[in-house]
Amino acid sequence: MGQCRSQAAYDQSELDEFQDLTYFTKREVLHVQKRFASLNPKKITADRDAVLTKEEILHLPELAVNPFKERILEVFSDAGNGNMNFEQFLEMMSQLSSKAPLESKITYAFKIYDFNGDGHICESDLQQVIMFLAQPALSGAVLHSEERQQVIENKRNSSFDEMLTVPEMKDIIRTKFFSQKDRKTISARVIEEMDMDNDGVISYLDFKHGMSKQDGFLESFKITL
């Protein structure tokens, strides 16, 4: 009681449970555990139930290149701050694996896009999505949330007078800087395209219907270890 458990191999009952609760085989669970431990070997060797910080987990190469990496960690973290123990990490990797069904990925993508957690995606949520997708274009820099906001507010290379289609949005926002007006234009167009009941926001059903038809949707929600 009260003692830390070392990084001993999981027993068969634990592996069976992990296999039942994820889309992984027992062998794959052990591989994920090895990758998790590699992020801070000393901490996990001392206590396999230790919590790794968001900053430590962001060192995972397969995750580091994802524009939504911070939001992904926050959504799968029980505390909502991106810090995780192995079980939370395993759930994240399972849902982001190629084995997870499309509907499951859409469910988590909706949570990731719903920044304010109010159960639907509104204009302000979409503007946040734009800022995350635009990050790779910001002079090649890797910025955190508050830095990203400041840079995008200060930079602008073009304006949009025409409404954009949803497929066009992703390609354009990766190569341009935006004013608030630009972001509002794009957000309004996305809502117009996806809001089936015309209530001014994107519900989960709206989102599911729209994303199931979007080419390349799974790119930001798939990690192969």
Side-chain angles (χ1 to χ4, degrees):
M1 293 293 292
Q3 294 182 336
C4 294
R5 291 191 295 174
S6 65
Q7 192 191 348
Y10 287 99
D11 63 34
Q12 283 300 312
S13 64
E14 290 173 309
L15 290 174
D16 287 340
E17 183 177 5
F18 285 144
Q19 182 173 257
D20 290 342
L21 295 175
T22 68
Y23 300 108
F24 289 139
T25 64
K26 287 180 281 190
R27 183 175 181 178
E28 289 168 332
V29 169
L30 289 173
H31 177 67
V32 174
Q33 197 276 336
K34 182 178 180 180
R35 294 299 304 276
F36 181 74
S38 72
L39 297 170
N40 191 325
K42 184 176 181 179
K43 183 187 289 186
I44 301 303
T45 298
D47 178 10
R48 74 177 190 186
D49 296 325
V51 173
L52 297 187
T53 66
K54 177 170 68 173
E55 290 71 26
E56 289 172 324
I57 299 171
L58 285 174
H59 283 98
L60 188 73
E62 296 86 349
L63 185 62
V65 297
N66 192 301
F68 294 101
K69 54 186 176 291
E70 292 178 63
R71 276 294 295 163
I72 289 172
L73 294 185
E74 290 164 1
V75 166
F76 282 97
S77 167
D78 286 353
N81 58 8
N83 300 341
M84 295 183 183
N85 63 17
F86 172 64
E87 291 187 13
Q88 294 162 45
F89 183 82
L90 179 64
E91 172 66 7
M92 176 182 72
M93 300 311 300
S94 174
Q95 294 296 340
L96 295 177
S97 74
S98 60
K99 292 185 174 183
L102 176 61
E103 183 167 353
S104 179
K105 290 183 180 293
I106 289 175
T107 297
Y108 278 99
F110 184 82
K111 294 178 181 179
I112 290 166
Y113 289 169
D114 180 17
F115 283 82
N116 59 18
D118 63 358
H120 58 252
I121 298 172
C122 61
E123 185 176 293
S124 64
D125 292 323
L126 288 172
Q127 291 187 38
Q128 288 275 66
V129 170
I130 291 169
M131 289 191 288
F132 272 75
L133 287 174
Q135 177 170 301
L138 303 179
S139 303
V142 178
L143 304 178
H144 294 291
S145 301
E146 62 277 5
E147 298 170 316
R148 182 188 304 111
Q149 172 68 39
Q150 186 61 48
V151 172
I152 292 178
E153 288 294 341
N154 292 340
K155 297 276 191 177
R156 183 182 183 187
N157 285 346
S158 63
S159 61
F160 299 99
D161 297 321
E162 298 180 358
M163 298 299 276
L164 302 172
T165 64
V166 174
E168 290 172 330
M169 181 186 75
K170 186 173 182 179
D171 291 335
I172 293 175
I173 63 183
R174 286 187 182 275
T175 58
K176 304 239 182 234
F177 295 114
F178 298 98
S179 68
Q180 184 175 2
K181 179 181 177 181
D182 295 332
R183 297 198 304 272
K184 287 177 68 69
T185 298
I186 297 172
S187 301
R189 179 56 176 169
V190 173
I191 291 176
E192 181 180 320
E193 290 281 336
M194 299 182 69
D195 179 17
M196 295 187 296
D197 55 4
N198 297 314
D199 62 355
V201 295
I202 300 172
S203 67
Y204 174 72
L205 291 178
D206 294 334
F207 186 78
K208 180 180 177 181
H209 180 264
M211 289 299 100
S212 63
K213 298 181 178 181
Q214 288 293 311
D215 293 334
F217 162 72
L218 295 180
E219 291 179 10
S220 294
F221 299 97
K222 181 172 71 174
I223 293 180
T224 302
L225 289 179

